[in-house]
Amino acid sequence: MKIVKNSLILLLFIIFGCNSDQNNFDVITEQENNSINQTNSVSVYSLEEILNGIRKWDTLRSNPDEILQYFENYNVLNLDMSQFPQGKDLHAYACILNGKLKFAVISEVYDQEIYQDSLINNIKIVDLHYADIATLSEQTYESYTFPLPTQYIQATDAITRIEDWNTNYENWLSNTILVYQGFDMPTYSLTAQNYSVYFGLKNNIAHQTVKDADLVFYNNNGVFYDTVTLQPPTRDRQKYYLTNLI
């Protein structure tokens, strides 16, 4: 009888133990899945690999037909602003790594020659992924008023830019003589949290019939931000040290 009892106890222990292990596995898997779209905390690439990736993009960006493939099934990236100095512009360099378009992101604080020996420690490689924007357009958004200067933009404007990219990015690429090398991203309105950053198209200020590539920041809680600028032209080349290395 004692043997049977002990066997039952052992069986229950195994069953509950397996369930517990399975629950732990699910949690870890979910965390891993969530981290896939986050900024890499530690670069898995050498500086030379990143520079070669930027060079590769630089040779392709004058040929829209060749770069079209790199935008298929991708419309968003994620940036964890806690990984960068607060309030300072970010430089996002487009690069081709492992045959895919990614962004090498570095704060303007470190994108200088004086940090040449530690550049790799301050570059975060960001992957692209796809997100269904139907969930964005179906929501109701409040209208906010923030003190100037602010990067805040109205949700209707932000979603229009994002939808325009999703619908017309192929046409935009086909009619663009030279695609951007990267983006300058002001961050003065952003906090140390994760943002979904969507590709967008917006009207050129000087020529309303011309569209410019854009990035729209979303705080995942109803508020959108912008004011990114395309590079080139580069305002102060000394603050874009990586461009001097390619």
Side-chain angles (χ1 to χ4, degrees), residues 108-166:
E108 68 174 5
V109 172
Y110 301 111
D111 198 0
Q112 301 182 56
E113 186 175 4
I114 59 173
Y115 292 104
Q116 58 181 311
D117 294 333
S118 59
L119 280 174
I120 191 61
N121 299 324
N122 295 294
I123 297 174
K124 312 300 180 184
I125 301 301
V126 182
D127 296 327
L128 307 181
H129 62 282
Y130 179 82
D132 186 351
I133 64 171
T135 54
L136 289 181
S137 56
E138 291 170 356
Q139 295 183 48
T140 300
Y141 299 92
E142 294 185 36
S143 179
Y144 297 93
T145 301
F146 295 106
L148 298 176
T150 180
Q151 292 176 259
Y152 167 74
I153 58 173
Q154 295 287 343
T156 51
D157 186 11
I159 293 173
T160 296
R161 298 183 194 186
I162 297 169
E163 289 178 335
D164 199 0
W165 171 269
N166 277 19

Side-chain angles (χ1 to χ4, degrees), residues 15-28:
I15 292 174
F16 283 109
C18 290
N19 288 339
S20 176
D21 288 343
Q22 181 63 46
N23 290 335
N24 289 336
F25 179 77
D26 290 340
V27 170
I28 293 172

Side-chain angles (χ1 to χ4, degrees), residues 213-226:
D214 191 31
L215 293 178
V216 178
F217 285 73
Y218 181 50
N219 74 346
N220 302 303
N221 195 31
V223 184
F224 296 87
Y225 303 87
D226 192 23

Side-chain angles (χ1 to χ4, degrees), residues 16-156:
F16 283 109
C18 290
N19 288 339
S20 176
D21 288 343
Q22 181 63 46
N23 290 335
N24 289 336
F25 179 77
D26 290 340
V27 170
I28 293 172
T29 302
E30 183 178 359
Q31 290 172 343
E32 290 174 346
N33 287 338
N34 288 339
S35 70
I36 289 175
N37 298 325
Q38 305 301 314
T39 305
N40 292 347
S41 57
V42 178
S43 176
V44 295
Y45 303 95
S46 68
L47 178 60
E48 192 58 30
E49 287 175 321
I50 294 172
L51 292 176
N52 283 337
I54 298 175
R55 293 179 186 118
K56 176 68 173 178
W57 174 256
D58 211 36
T59 62
L60 293 176
R61 65 192 185 94
S62 61
N63 191 333
D65 291 335
E66 284 196 46
I67 66 174
L68 181 61
Q69 61 178 309
Y70 295 104
F71 288 98
E72 293 176 349
N73 302 317
Y74 299 111
N75 65 350
V76 65
L77 54 101
N78 286 72
L79 276 180
D80 182 356
M81 296 305 301
S82 68
Q83 295 184 330
F84 303 97
Q86 300 301 294
K88 301 296 183 180
D89 286 20
L90 299 181
H91 301 161
Y93 295 90
C95 55
I96 304 298
L97 294 169
N98 296 335
K100 295 183 178 180
L101 174 60
K102 303 176 187 288
F103 282 92
V105 183
I106 185 173
S107 170
E108 68 174 5
V109 172
Y110 301 111
D111 198 0
Q112 301 182 56
E113 186 175 4
I114 59 173
Y115 292 104
Q116 58 181 311
D117 294 333
S118 59
L119 280 174
I120 191 61
N121 299 324
N122 295 294
I123 297 174
K124 312 300 180 184
I125 301 301
V126 182
D127 296 327
L128 307 181
H129 62 282
Y130 179 82
D132 186 351
I133 64 171
T135 54
L136 289 181
S137 56
E138 291 170 356
Q139 295 183 48
T140 300
Y141 299 92
E142 294 185 36
S143 179
Y144 297 93
T145 301
F146 295 106
L148 298 176
T150 180
Q151 292 176 259
Y152 167 74
I153 58 173
Q154 295 287 343
T156 51

